[in-house]
Amino acid sequence: MKAVLQHPHNSQDDAPSPRPDFSMTSQQRSLFGLAGIIALSFATEMNEQVSAQALPDIAGALGLSMDSQRWFSCLYVTAEIIGMSVSPWLAITLTLRRFSFFVTILAVLASSLIPFTSTLSLLYILRVFQGLAGGFTVPLLMTIALRVLAPPIRLYGLAAYALTATFFPNLSMTFAGLWTDLVDWRFVFWQSIPLCTLSFLLLWYGMPVDPPKHERFWKFDWKGFLLIVFGMGAFSIMLQMGDWMDWFNSPFICVLGLTSLVCIPLFVLNEWFHPLPLFKFQLLGRRNFAYGSSTLLTFVVISLSSSALPASFLQSAAGYRPEQIYPVTLEIAAIQLVMLPLMAVVLNKTWVDSRIVSFIGMSCILTACVGDFFLTSNWNRDQFYLWQALQGIGDAMIVMPLLMMSTNTLDPSEGPFASAMVNTPRAVAEAVGIWLLQLMHRERGSLHSDRIADRLGQVRYSLVQGTNPMLQRPSPLTPSGQPAYPGSMTELHAQMSRQTATLTFSDDWVVLGSLVVFLMIWVCVLPVRTYPPRIVFQSK
């Protein structure tokens, strides 16, 4: 046995090549199906990300209260987690072609009807359908990429999958600014109509026609499905709504915590012994796959939070609108279009160690976190460009080696199980990221607010004489202790809030930097060397 590279001229004789056949083969047509899934992923990812960025405008148009806004976002993420967990199983049972058609129709109907909805309960139902469509789509992209792409170009398919984690979320602010500030807020949802139409046509032409396997329904893991619906659903809602409901002082949060505490271990136990499980936890016995599944969750938390933090800071501290913020996030998106294919080329070299590439990417993100830590209340988007560039480079250098190390240890029959186990933690990471930012802003924000208020009380006499040269504001108080002019105390409170937000966001980047340091240690300890998927073995 010897290792050789796949090449069209491996035969030992020099016989003339057969007459070239320019007809479209099934393998080539499958690439159109892959393009259709990429378009569908783009549509569903934009449904989530753009609506999150434009939520204040959507809430104003639909008359949503603060509670309704939180449920509007929470239900999508929760439904997405459930959709990602069952998508590979349904795709095999119903066939990729039929299931892709169903997801496309579900996505376009749910999105196009939301602007016409005036009933809150119906709005929630459509939002759940949106989340299910988004959860169904991303595992489909990984499954189809691993199926239709030959080993020499498989990394390019994984680069297309990586777009859903690094490119689409950072592009969302651009579309949010376009629709809300320049066109109409309804296009936040209607943007999916042309994308889903294009996706349907590409899927109809390119997806292979396979016979369905309806007999699998007789072996469907109903216990596992119910356990993940109640367990992961309760866990997701608890993370996202816990801070708003004062955590375990709320009976509702207590019930959710107890439900997740009981259902999630039972789900793991059920999947371990089920003959046709939704998840195959035995795969975690392989070091590289265990590394990929655990690291992807942490990476998504770091990636989403670091891309969202500059936008949140500019909104809260500088009063920016999406139209003014989008260049900051668009920079990361543009870098992904260059770096992801470049990483596919680099990682296809046998002498390149993917672990070293990951470590360099983590170093770039850590440098960006350190740079952002020194932000001040006077920062605007110009100060973020350098650190966002490092963030974009680091994202691509982490996610591509991560996907390669995870998928190179799998047999084709294990692809659906791997897709569910890789993508479901990724969806859970969105809820974890929301929880982490809420925790930081509540704990550290309260601490900084109290300290600043205490300091203002100690130097209250200085407020009579002092002015802020940066903001060109006169002193807020007169020598008698009264407001110096109408609105002076309001402006003082605004400056105090701005400083509190600045210190809180600075702490956020410290926490993210700590997570990056953990990943740097993790990549040095757990994974083993892996090689590009273009090497095969054949006997001489």
Side-chain angles (χ1 to χ4, degrees):
M1 300 288 290
K2 69 174 184 177
V4 298
L5 299 182
Q6 284 190 339
H7 196 276
H9 302 292
N10 277 338
S11 60
Q12 298 178 359
D13 58 327
D14 295 326
S17 302
R19 186 175 181 178
D21 183 10
F22 294 102
S23 61
M24 185 70 70
T25 64
S26 60
Q27 186 72 18
Q28 292 170 331
R29 292 184 63 175
S30 298
L31 297 179
F32 286 90
L34 177 61
I37 288 295
I38 293 175
L40 181 60
S41 301
F42 182 46
T44 55
E45 193 74 23
M46 290 297 101
N47 281 340
E48 175 191 8
Q49 300 294 334
V50 178
S51 60
Q53 303 294 344
L55 186 57
D57 296 85
I58 297 171
L62 296 178
L64 301 181
S65 64
M66 290 299 297
D67 285 343
S68 300
Q69 293 179 50
R70 290 179 178 272
W71 280 109
F72 186 78
S73 301
C74 175
L75 290 175
Y76 185 99
V77 176
T78 303
E80 186 180 35
I81 294 173
I82 297 171
M84 285 188 176
S85 63
V86 299
S87 175
W89 194 95
L90 291 174
I92 295 176
T93 305
L94 301 176
T95 74
L96 289 171
R97 181 184 179 90
R98 296 182 180 182
F99 187 60
S100 300
F101 289 162
F102 167 74
V103 175
T104 305
I105 295 172
L106 180 66
V108 71
L109 288 179
S111 298
S112 58
L113 293 177
I114 284 181
F116 302 104
T117 306
S118 57
T119 305
L120 189 60
S121 57
L122 180 58
L123 177 67
Y124 288 160
I125 293 173
L126 292 175
R127 190 61 171 170
V128 169
F129 287 157
Q130 263 196 325
L132 287 174
F136 289 150
T137 304
V138 177
L140 272 179
L141 177 56
M142 174 177 279
T143 302
I144 294 175
L146 294 176
R147 173 177 174 176
V148 306
L149 297 178
I153 60 173
R154 182 173 297 167
L155 281 175
Y156 296 96
L158 295 178
Y161 168 81
L163 290 174
T164 63
T166 58
F167 175 73
F168 296 156
N170 290 289
L171 189 64
S172 61
M173 184 62 73
T174 304
F175 283 91
L178 174 64
W179 303 139
T180 57
D181 293 341
L182 300 178
V183 186
D184 188 274
W185 69 271
R186 296 175 181 86
F187 282 87
V188 169
F189 304 101
W190 291 346
Q191 67 183 354
S192 64
I193 296 177
L195 288 171
C196 288
T197 302
L198 175 63
S199 173
F200 189 91
L201 295 175
L202 292 172
L203 292 170
W204 176 80
Y205 178 76
M207 289 298 279
V209 180
D210 299 325
K213 301 178 181 179
H214 293 154
E215 67 277 3
R216 286 168 55 91
F217 279 111
W218 295 104
K219 299 179 181 179
F220 181 59
D221 185 10
W222 292 104
K223 293 181 181 179
F225 175 72
L226 293 176
L227 287 172
I228 201 169
V229 168
F230 287 101
M232 296 305 299
F235 183 66
S236 172
I237 295 174
M238 180 185 69
L239 288 179
Q240 297 178 78
M241 302 297 291
D243 194 75
W244 183 255
M245 295 184 174
D246 198 18
W247 285 102
F248 297 106
N249 291 320
S250 167
F252 179 67
I253 296 298
C254 292
V255 172
L256 292 178
L258 181 61
T259 301
S260 60
L261 185 63
V262 173
C263 291
I264 292 178
L266 289 178
F267 171 74
V268 176
L269 185 64
N270 178 79
E271 298 304 289
W272 191 271
F273 297 102
H274 198 277
L276 193 63
L278 299 174
F279 284 30
K280 192 174 182 180
F281 287 101
Q282 289 84 347
L283 293 177
L284 295 177
R286 304 174 189 178
R287 293 177 61 176
N288 279 14
F289 186 81
Y291 166 78
S293 301
S294 59
T295 305
L296 185 62
L297 188 151
T298 310
F299 167 75
V300 170
V301 172
I302 296 173
S303 177
L304 290 177
S305 301
S306 59
S307 61
L309 284 180
S312 300
F313 173 79
L314 292 174
Q315 284 178 328
S316 59
Y320 277 32
R321 290 280 299 165
E323 182 187 2
Q324 300 167 302
I325 298 173
Y326 82 87
V328 177
T329 56
L330 184 61
E331 180 186 13
I332 295 182
I335 291 175
Q336 302 309 303
L337 291 180
V338 178
M339 287 296 299
L340 289 176
L342 179 61
M343 285 297 102
V345 173
V346 171
L347 292 172
N348 257 328
K349 307 295 183 181
T350 55
W351 53 269
V352 175
D353 192 335
S354 56
R355 297 171 298 179
I356 297 177
V357 176
S358 294
F359 190 88
I360 296 174
M362 294 171 189
S363 301
C364 291
I365 295 182
L366 180 60
T367 304
C369 292
V370 172
D372 286 325
F373 166 74
F374 291 101
L375 86 164
T376 67
S377 59
N378 298 314
W379 274 33
N380 54 40
R381 66 188 184 194
D382 295 336
Q383 281 71 44
F384 285 104
Y385 285 140
L386 174 61
W387 312 120
Q388 291 295 92
L390 290 174
Q391 177 74 38
I393 294 172
D395 285 350
M397 295 184 71
I398 293 175
V399 70
M400 285 300 296
L402 186 65
L403 293 173
M404 190 184 82
M405 285 187 282
S406 301
T407 58
N408 268 19
T409 61
L410 301 173
D411 295 329
S413 60
E414 297 172 332
F417 299 111
S419 182
M421 294 188 63
V422 167
N423 288 286
T424 302
R426 169 188 161 175
V428 174
E430 296 186 36
V432 173
I434 294 172
W435 162 77
L436 180 62
L437 291 183
Q438 288 179 347
L439 176 65
M440 288 295 299
H441 283 233
R442 177 168 54 86
E443 296 293 338
R444 301 299 296 179
S446 299
L447 175 65
H448 293 311
S449 178
D450 291 344
R451 286 182 173 179
I452 292 175
D454 182 66
R455 181 61 179 169
L456 286 176
Q458 294 179 16
V459 297
R460 58 189 180 276
Y461 296 109
S462 300
L463 299 178
V464 176
Q465 302 175 354
T467 60
N468 190 333
M470 295 299 296
L471 299 178
Q472 299 299 315
R473 295 287 188 267
S475 58
L477 300 179
T478 63
S480 63
Q482 299 299 317
Y485 54 92
S488 63
M489 297 307 295
T490 302
E491 291 186 0
L492 178 63
H493 180 267
Q495 293 181 40
M496 173 182 166
S497 300
R498 186 172 182 173
Q499 292 295 333
T500 300
T502 301
L503 294 172
T504 304
F505 279 100
S506 180
D507 291 341
D508 290 340
W509 271 296
V510 172
V511 174
L512 293 178
S514 302
L515 291 177
V516 176
V517 172
F518 167 76
L519 289 185
M520 296 174 74
I521 299 174
W522 194 236
V523 75
C524 295
V525 173
L526 186 61
V528 297
R529 177 82 184 267
T530 187
Y531 292 91
R534 64 191 179 92
I535 295 183
V536 297
F537 290 88
Q538 63 176 207
S539 58
K540 184 175 179 181

